[in-house]
Amino acid sequence: MSLRSRSLPRRSCLSTPGSSDRFLAKAPTALADFSFLDLEDSVAPKEKVDARAKVVNAIRTLPWDDRVLCVRVNAWDTPWTYGDVIDVVGRAGARLDEVMLPKVRRASDVVALDLLLSQVESNAGLPLGHIGIEAQIETAEGLINVEDICASSPRLESIVFGPADFAASIGMPVTTIDETIHHAPSNPFSYVFAKILMAGRANGLNVIDGPFLKVRDLEALRYAASITASYGFDGKWALTPDQALVLNEVYSPSQELFDKSLEILSAYRIATEENRTGAVMFGDEMIDEASAKIALSFVARGERAGMKTSRDESSAH
Ligand code: GLV
Ligand code: MG
């Protein structure tokens, strides 16, 4: 597992086609927590092999600051997966944090990538386990096996929902992924979101929502993103830098929530340590150990995103 990237935020995960020098050059200028350079569905079959060198060059030469940097390889049911891994991970150097594997159907898909990565790391002089894995759930079979998939390798850092391929896999009558999916009378995505979230969290993984395809409608994106944010997802894919800005907001706690969480932690600490009570009134709410855990998760999320209290600290306890 990549120790560097595991605890970094992933509110916005920017997708960039690996075959386009122009888009690759622009990617580091976007304010995204995470960037992945794509060799899969945004690259035409005839460009797949040439894109590998462009991606390696981008990883080695562009100013990526400390964002998480990932390459999406092609799925195991194509002719390209092993070549993508050997060519890109073998030559990219230590700045590459992760490989994203699309269309994961079963745990052995991840195990195979893990084994291949160990050989490539050894031959490239990288520390064993340096490269983390992001696994995409994009088929009914992948969803059924998501619990085993999430437990399949210590390299796993995130489990990622791929709504477009998934809609195709289950035969949903839609032609795009937009906010109207969430208005369907019986929205199968609620089951999907809950199932992926539980499997990911049970294994300590980041849980990420996939793309929103109506790229010009940022308010509709905000609405769709707020749904997975309300489940507790860590972030969502961005297809443009503007989408990334919206996602950075949606997947951060609000300043008010962040401040309140700090105050709950402070009130709870005083109650338990100084007054030795396990439950205490906080305004008109009863708080206890569970409330402190919820508050801690918001504080951790806010701190990962660089938030600070907006309240006057001299008045804090
Ligand atoms: C992403 O890969 C998707 O299929 O939605
Ligand atoms: Mg896909």
Side-chain angles (χ1 to χ4, degrees):
M1 95 188 133
S2 166
L3 287 179
R4 194 194 84 84
S5 54
R6 184 164 284 252
S7 58
L8 290 174
R10 287 163 166 77
R11 297 165 302 172
S12 48
C13 305
L14 183 72
S15 167
T16 302
S19 52
S20 163
D21 284 325
R22 188 167 68 88
F23 283 122
L24 286 168
K26 239 179 92 186
T29 66
L31 292 175
D33 290 338
F34 175 112
S35 238
F36 74 90
L37 314 184
D38 192 22
L39 297 172
E40 204 223 13
D41 281 357
S42 67
V43 174
K46 290 193 172 143
E47 292 294 320
K48 296 268 187 205
V49 171
D50 288 352
R52 293 174 186 157
K54 294 183 182 179
V55 164
V56 169
N57 184 49
I59 295 168
R60 297 193 76 99
T61 61
L62 297 177
W64 294 107
D65 57 43
D66 65 350
R67 76 194 63 200
V68 184
L69 190 53
C70 177
V71 169
R72 180 166 71 162
V73 297
N74 287 282
W76 282 122
D77 61 356
T78 73
W80 297 295
T81 324
Y82 77 93
D84 289 345
V85 175
I86 293 167
D87 268 21
V88 176
V89 180
R91 293 187 291 149
R95 182 60 186 81
L96 179 65
D97 295 305
E98 298 184 340
V99 168
M100 189 186 305
L101 186 63
K103 302 183 179 74
V104 173
R105 291 174 185 272
R106 55 190 88 80
S108 55
D109 290 355
V110 176
V111 174
L113 177 62
D114 181 330
L115 292 172
L116 180 58
L117 281 170
S118 297
Q119 288 194 357
V120 176
E121 284 169 341
S122 158
N123 288 328
L126 294 168
L128 182 66
H130 178 77
I131 303 288
I133 295 178
E134 304 248 319
Q136 274 192 283
I137 299 299
E138 312 195 76
T139 59
E141 190 184 356
L143 187 71
I144 295 302
N145 292 325
V146 67
E147 291 167 22
D148 289 344
I149 290 168
C150 285
S152 61
S153 163
R155 290 184 190 269
L156 274 168
E157 297 189 31
S158 307
I159 190 81
V160 183
F161 179 47
D165 275 303
F166 189 82
S169 156
I170 65 168
M172 264 176 104
V174 295
T175 56
T176 189
I177 301 299
D178 63 13
E179 75 289 2
T180 58
I181 281 185
H182 303 291
H183 303 151
S186 167
N187 171 9
F189 279 17
S190 7
Y191 167 69
V192 177
F193 293 153
K195 189 166 168 82
I196 291 180
L197 183 70
M198 298 312 146
R201 289 291 186 250
N203 291 281
L205 304 185
N206 296 294
V207 182
I208 308 294
D209 189 11
F212 184 84
L213 304 181
K214 255 199 219 159
V215 288
R216 295 208 175 90
D217 193 342
L218 296 178
E219 282 319 299
L221 167 73
R222 187 182 295 278
Y223 168 75
S226 71
I227 293 176
T228 46
S230 74
Y231 277 79
F233 276 47
D234 298 285
K236 180 171 174 66
W237 282 15
L239 302 178
T240 66
D242 286 345
Q243 283 198 331
L245 296 180
V246 172
L247 300 177
N248 290 345
E249 265 177 51
V250 174
Y251 291 94
S252 299
S254 65
Q255 187 68 49
E256 194 189 336
L257 190 56
F258 183 75
D259 289 342
K260 180 179 171 190
S261 300
L262 284 172
E263 286 169 8
I264 288 177
L265 289 179
S266 167
Y268 185 66
R269 187 189 57 74
I270 290 169
T272 50
E273 286 176 21
E274 294 176 20
N275 304 334
R276 298 192 178 206
T277 51
V280 67
M281 285 310 283
F282 177 83
D284 56 3
E285 297 165 36
M286 175 74 80
I287 59 166
D288 65 5
E289 176 70 23
S291 325
K293 275 194 192 129
I294 297 173
L296 195 57
S297 85
F298 284 122
V299 169
R301 201 174 271 239
E303 282 177 345
R304 274 204 326 178
M307 291 177 78
K308 305 227 175 336
T309 179
S310 68
R311 309 261 159 102
D312 176 5
E313 292 195 58
S314 60
S315 68
H317 309 281

